[in-house]
Amino acid sequence: MPQVVRSRIAVLHGAHPAAPLPRSFRSLADRAAIEVLHRAARVLVASLPVLTDRLVEALYEQEPGYRAAIDSDRAEVWQEVHHSLRHNVGSLIQPREFRDAAHRTSRWIGEIRAEQGVPLDAVLHAFRMGGAMVWQDLVDETARRDPDDVRLLVHVAADVWNFVDEHCGIVADAYRQAERRLSWRRENQQRLMVAALLDGTARIADVCEAAAMLGLPEQGRYAVLAVASAPGGPQQQGLARPPLNLPAVLSPGEGLSTAPGAAPLWHTGPDTAFAILRLAGGPGDPGDPDELHAIADALDAPAGTRAGIGSAVDGLAALGDARRLAETALRACAASGGTVVLDEHLPDALVVSSPALGSALADRVLGPLDRLDPSDRDVILETLTAWLDADGSAQRAGARLYCHRNTVLNRLRRFEQLTGRCLTRPRDAVEVSLALAARRLLVG
């Protein structure tokens, strides 16, 4: 109850307000208006069940946001409205006795309606409808008892509507606080569920619940994108996005994926961020085999960002495998940055999957080159890499290196002499290719 109403009522009962208004403002009309208000409010208190019935019916007819709640449990809504009216009308008569209880009731209504998903505008409209109905009943009861007294209610009209606005503010504040708590709770549940799916620790019985919570099909087709955190960058865990734009086919933005082409669901860890990508197709329909390649080509990431996309898997229950495949693809990414699609770099994935064996192979095959001057060694390795990338064409390798094809062939022969490998022998060519990948990815 605003202070102006409390002070007037206090004067009526003989108490002295802390800061009394000048005598010229404390008119007999004010005192008479309070008496009229009290008489009419006491009649309303005596007929609260009837007033409650009317307000609930008006809410059902005029406020769509309340219609579902009333259909679901009319008795619960009736009790809520009755409880609120009892304390609020009582506050008009005895503000000190009812004020705290009225505030608690309004806060409780704001919280419970937020939890039930009733729009805040609907809740505030309901309070204003209640205030309008109470005011009209006060006027009608006063007119019935003595029409001349209606004019006295003008002196307290602003106080009554200030009281309604006060409680609308209490409701709105409680509603928003409840919304924040609910939002945090939902995000925390999602974070824990996504973490369990990506870790592969989610129980089979929980997969159905996870699908409903995240808005994802249980048997959909998925892949995982892994993005390495920038060195020295902020580390946080949760449903957040790293600083990169996903391709247009994924509708870059925050949120949950609900269909192929929708925004992915991010989960960040201490060193790596993961995005669950929902792909086209599903059980019995493998979808587009080039879809992952298209995603990688369109990925817009800052220079130096390392990203890996794992192979596609079927079903949410397989996201743990998809995450491990994405991490393997990330390890196969060069230190300078770029995006690796695992299916297109399986030999590199084999190397990084067993770092010890990869390093041993590099030492065995390429170790003899380490006896050379570093610049001389690097020229031979660069030439060997260019020749393999050119599918064994010295002509194309020379064009890439800006040298004659014979220069390429001379360097390759020197490599064979130093290492004892024959590049025309398939087995040796495979070992050399894997050794170069191991040195590039593991040794540096």
Side-chain angles (χ1 to χ4, degrees):
M1 176 70 67
Q3 182 62 37
V4 63
V5 174
R6 289 199 298 273
S7 63
R8 288 174 178 170
I9 296 175
V11 168
L12 180 64
H13 291 291
H16 296 283
L21 294 174
R23 183 174 299 275
S24 59
F25 285 87
R26 191 61 63 193
S27 66
L28 292 176
D30 289 335
R31 297 170 63 89
I34 295 295
E35 292 175 358
V36 170
L37 175 66
H38 283 187
R39 282 199 301 268
R42 290 190 185 96
V43 174
L44 264 61
V45 170
S47 60
L48 273 183
V50 176
L51 177 59
T52 302
D53 288 339
R54 289 167 48 217
L55 182 51
V56 171
E57 191 61 34
L59 287 174
Y60 189 83
E61 294 177 357
Q62 301 177 35
E63 180 45 69
Y66 262 76
R67 201 162 294 153
I70 294 173
D71 282 334
S72 175
D73 193 343
R74 192 181 190 91
E76 188 270 338
V77 176
W78 193 96
Q79 289 293 339
E80 170 192 308
V81 172
H82 184 267
H83 200 62
S84 178
L85 287 173
R86 180 164 60 87
H87 286 98
N88 291 337
V89 175
S91 293
L92 298 177
I93 305 170
Q94 296 175 297
R96 292 182 178 177
E97 289 78 358
F98 283 91
R99 182 178 184 275
D100 290 342
H103 284 188
R104 286 195 299 270
T105 300
S106 295
R107 281 193 294 269
W108 174 77
I109 291 174
E111 292 173 355
I112 195 171
R113 291 304 172 212
E115 293 174 359
Q116 294 172 346
V118 178
L120 176 57
D121 286 347
V123 182
L124 295 178
H125 184 211
F127 263 76
R128 293 191 176 100
M129 286 176 63
M133 187 171 289
V134 167
W135 174 249
Q136 188 60 52
D137 281 9
L138 290 172
V139 173
D140 291 346
E141 173 57 27
T142 301
R144 184 191 65 81
R145 184 182 184 93
D146 188 344
D148 290 340
D149 286 345
V150 171
R151 60 183 174 80
L152 292 173
L153 289 180
V154 174
H155 294 266
V156 293
D159 299 333
V160 172
W161 284 106
N162 285 340
F163 177 83
V164 174
D165 287 342
E166 176 188 6
H167 280 263
C168 283
I170 292 171
V171 168
D173 183 63
Y175 187 102
R176 294 188 182 103
Q177 289 185 22
E179 266 194 327
R180 287 192 290 270
R181 289 195 301 270
L182 291 170
S183 177
W184 179 87
R185 190 181 307 160
R186 283 192 299 268
E187 289 181 1
N188 192 50
Q189 290 174 340
Q190 288 177 354
R191 181 171 59 251
L192 294 175
M193 185 62 74
V194 169
L197 289 171
L198 290 173
D199 289 343
T201 57
R203 300 178 303 175
I204 296 299
D206 294 334
V207 174
C208 181
E209 177 185 351
M213 178 188 300
L214 303 177
L216 299 172
E218 185 177 350
Q219 298 303 324
R221 184 167 169 266
Y222 299 97
V224 170
L225 164 68
V227 181
S229 299
Q235 305 297 324
Q236 59 178 355
Q237 295 193 9
L239 301 174
R241 283 187 53 190
L244 80 164
N245 292 323
L246 287 171
V249 294
L250 289 174
S251 302
E254 305 273 352
L256 306 182
S257 173
T258 56
L265 174 60
W266 284 99
H267 185 82
T268 60
D271 303 309
T272 308
F274 299 96
I276 298 175
L277 310 177
R278 183 181 170 191
L279 308 176
D285 179 8
D288 183 359
D290 295 327
E291 187 174 8
L292 296 178
H293 180 74
I295 293 173
D297 285 346
L299 191 65
D300 181 14
T305 300
R306 298 170 56 245
I309 303 177
S311 303
V313 299
D314 291 327
L316 284 178
L319 281 180
D321 294 334
R323 188 219 67 189
R324 286 186 285 274
L325 293 172
E327 288 178 324
T328 300
L330 183 61
R331 290 197 297 272
C333 186
S336 58
T339 302
V340 168
V341 178
L342 184 64
D343 291 349
E344 299 175 358
H345 294 80
L346 292 176
D348 290 352
L350 286 174
V351 170
V352 297
S353 294
S354 182
L357 291 178
S359 298
L361 178 64
D363 289 342
R364 180 180 178 86
V365 175
L366 305 177
L369 299 180
D370 291 334
R371 294 191 290 268
L372 301 175
D373 182 84
S375 60
D376 192 15
R377 177 199 63 200
D378 291 344
V379 166
I380 294 177
L381 290 176
E382 182 183 23
T383 302
L384 184 59
T385 300
W387 180 76
L388 289 171
D389 290 342
D391 298 326
S393 170
Q395 186 74 35
R396 292 200 298 273
R400 293 185 182 185
L401 298 172
Y402 302 100
C403 65
H404 194 273
R405 65 182 296 276
N406 289 339
T407 302
V408 173
L409 293 175
N410 288 335
R411 292 172 181 173
L412 294 180
R413 279 194 292 270
R414 189 178 179 203
F415 169 80
E416 290 179 326
Q417 293 168 355
L418 289 170
T419 62
R421 304 286 169 171
C422 178
L423 294 175
T424 58
R425 186 182 302 136
R427 182 187 180 91
D428 285 359
V430 170
E431 288 186 351
V432 169
S433 178
L434 292 175
L436 285 171
R439 175 160 290 210
R440 172 172 52 86
L441 297 171
L442 301 175
V443 180

